[in-house]
Amino acid sequence: LGNVTALVQSFDKGNAQKRDRITTLHQFNASRKVPYNLQRKLFAYIDAEWNITYGLDDSSVLAQLPSQLRGNIVAAIYKDTLLTAPLFAKCSLECAKSLLLRLQPEICLQKEVLIAREQLCQELYVLMRGAVQVATHSGAESGASVGPKAAASPPKDGDATSPPSPPKRSMSHSMRKGALMFRMIEKPGAIIGYVDPFAREVPRYPFLVTAVRQTHPVCLS
């Protein structure tokens, strides 16, 4: 009987953690008088995050391991996704491991803003799954450089660090709607965000990035 009880308790441990977290959020919303519409978004975010992470924080788990083992584990986890992306494929494996260890997972719900226009953006987002819309006015910021050497070469498909251009693949496509121009990005490994924080003038991100559906990017500050 004791063995069966221990088995049931360990099986339900994950759900118990989720229930405890939701209870804490209910108490927080009640004590701080959070508006109802924001409460709904908060619980939707928690549910979406749980479905991806299962309540596990990768950084805290990996922090208990030796540095070399941490790098090998993240390289094995992301070998079929991020390591094949241009950002990581163009550097050495050891450099890629160091970057992967600094990634922070993010969740962006459907129709939520990931990066606002004119935001001071110092984060680089790499798309894992989902789809985002990158929008800009066709006549605005036409020659702006929003990343290191961004104006030196034409933007690549799936790269939102440069003004939208006609695509080469079917995974990303640009559309024009009146004075608004936007691109759909859904290719895993695509780069979104980041402007040069050391530019002479304070840089502002010229695009509005919105999640078309629930999106899971990882963030590198």
Side-chain angles (χ1 to χ4, degrees), residues 16-96:
Q17 292 176 349
K18 184 178 180 181
R19 288 195 299 269
D20 291 342
R21 190 171 182 183
I22 291 176
T23 301
T24 301
L25 291 176
H26 275 297
Q27 295 173 349
F28 174 82
N29 292 331
S31 62
R32 301 299 189 268
K33 297 180 173 58
V34 178
Y36 179 70
N37 60 328
L38 293 180
Q39 291 186 31
R40 292 184 60 185
K41 288 184 179 180
L42 178 60
F43 287 114
Y45 170 82
I46 294 300
D47 187 62
E49 181 191 33
W50 193 273
N51 289 336
I52 293 176
T53 64
Y54 300 100
L56 297 174
D57 182 7
D58 292 356
S59 58
S60 61
V61 174
L62 293 173
Q64 306 173 33
L65 304 175
S67 59
Q68 188 62 31
L69 184 57
R70 290 200 300 267
N72 293 335
I73 289 176
V74 294
I77 292 174
Y78 294 119
K79 66 177 181 179
D80 296 327
T81 53
L82 293 183
L83 281 182
T84 60
L87 175 66
F88 300 96
K90 292 181 179 180
C91 58
S92 67
L93 180 59
E94 294 305 316
C95 179

Side-chain angles (χ1 to χ4, degrees), residues 18 157 163 217 221:
K18 184 178 180 181
D157 180 59
S221 178

Side-chain angles (χ1 to χ4, degrees), residues 70-120:
R70 290 200 300 267
N72 293 335
I73 289 176
V74 294
I77 292 174
Y78 294 119
K79 66 177 181 179
D80 296 327
T81 53
L82 293 183
L83 281 182
T84 60
L87 175 66
F88 300 96
K90 292 181 179 180
C91 58
S92 67
L93 180 59
E94 294 305 316
C95 179
K97 289 178 182 179
S98 299
L99 293 175
L100 290 173
L101 286 170
R102 287 164 173 78
L103 293 177
Q104 296 294 326
E106 298 273 346
I107 299 293
C108 194
L109 301 177
Q110 185 179 15
K111 298 183 179 180
E112 290 293 309
V113 174
L114 179 62
I115 308 176
R117 186 181 285 114
E118 301 299 324
Q119 175 181 333
L120 181 60

